[in-house]
Amino acid sequence: MSRVVKMLAGIVALSVSGASLAAFPDRPVKLVVPFPAGGLADTVARVVAERLGAALGQTVIVDYKAGAATIVGADSVATASPDGYTLLLGSATTFAVNPIIYRKLPYDPLKSFEPIGIVGSNALALLANHSVAANSVKELIGEIKAQPDKFSYGSHGAGSTVHFAAEMLWSAAGAKVLHIPYKGSAPALTDLMGGQIALAFDSVPAAIAAAKGGRVKILATTGKRRAALLPNVPTIVESGYPVTMEAWWAVVAPHGIPAEARERLVKALKETMTDSGVHDKLVGLAFDTRYGAPAEYAKLIEEDTAKLAPIAKANNIHQE
């Protein structure tokens, strides 16, 4: 009789175990954002979290953990319990740029995370103060080569995607422009509009807002195709230089989450990013929403590393 009882107990245990796995998630899921509240990452995270929660049948809580170029938030997820209840919304900075410019990182983009999917990308815009005569990238390069000491450009900081976009252009054009790193977008654009610097790269929405004042102009964008919000502005590739820079975004989980949880999250994220409502909410931010399967994550890291590592080495772009 005791053997029968044990067998029944084993069957019940297996049933309970299977039911709990099938029920994932049975409590709220946390989406860590390694950026401060109030910017593009904040908006994307809130829109994605709302729709992802509906797809999962659970609340998705947005948790801001900014600091050290996304490293603080990324590390908190890399070391979190691998149960599927903690996710990270990171960008190309987190997964591709940081491993290039930091000699030591507390996480490895490939070994520390389990990719759930790509959620989209955003391009940048090249802006010039109206003291610059050029109205195209080719004209600008001509001016720079004729008067190299006249030009400087501002970025969000050394090692930012903005910094890389600029250096890729100067490298492709065979030009040199003085880099002025700022602590964020706002001070760089303020100095651009005030004439303290001649050029800057920034997000498309920030560029549009700055250009409305009439003190700066947008010469080109860095995407593979024209920005939907700037249909009359050419890309840098269209302008004659083989330069693209798109900051892609991905949702990842700690490495080692159960296969059942990963499959549920992948399915829910795909449902989220193919939803027309999500697209409509983000299109005004020049965020190109799309879903990319987990396998694309490693491919994007590989492509960015091949493109950006030589630029970092040539321009001594690194952080301790």
Side-chain angles (χ1 to χ4, degrees), residues 207-241:
I208 291 172
K212 282 181 179 177
R215 287 180 285 178
V216 301
K217 50 192 173 183
I218 304 171
L219 300 184
T221 56
T222 66
K224 294 174 183 175
R225 57 181 180 271
R226 293 193 181 193
L229 298 181
L230 294 170
N232 297 320
V233 176
T235 64
I236 291 179
V237 172
E238 288 180 289
S239 304
Y241 301 94

Side-chain angles (χ1 to χ4, degrees), residues 24-25 27-33 60-61 63 65 73-89 112-114 116 251-255 257 261 265:
F24 175 87
R27 63 180 189 271
V29 174
K30 182 168 64 175
L31 180 63
V32 174
V33 179
V60 176
I61 302 166
D63 184 15
K65 291 188 177 179
D75 184 42
S76 75
V77 174
T79 55
S81 175
D83 53 16
Y85 288 93
T86 303
L87 305 174
L88 172 72
L89 175 65
S112 301
F113 302 113
E114 193 83 43
I116 305 302
V251 172
V252 301
H255 180 73
I257 66 170
L265 289 166

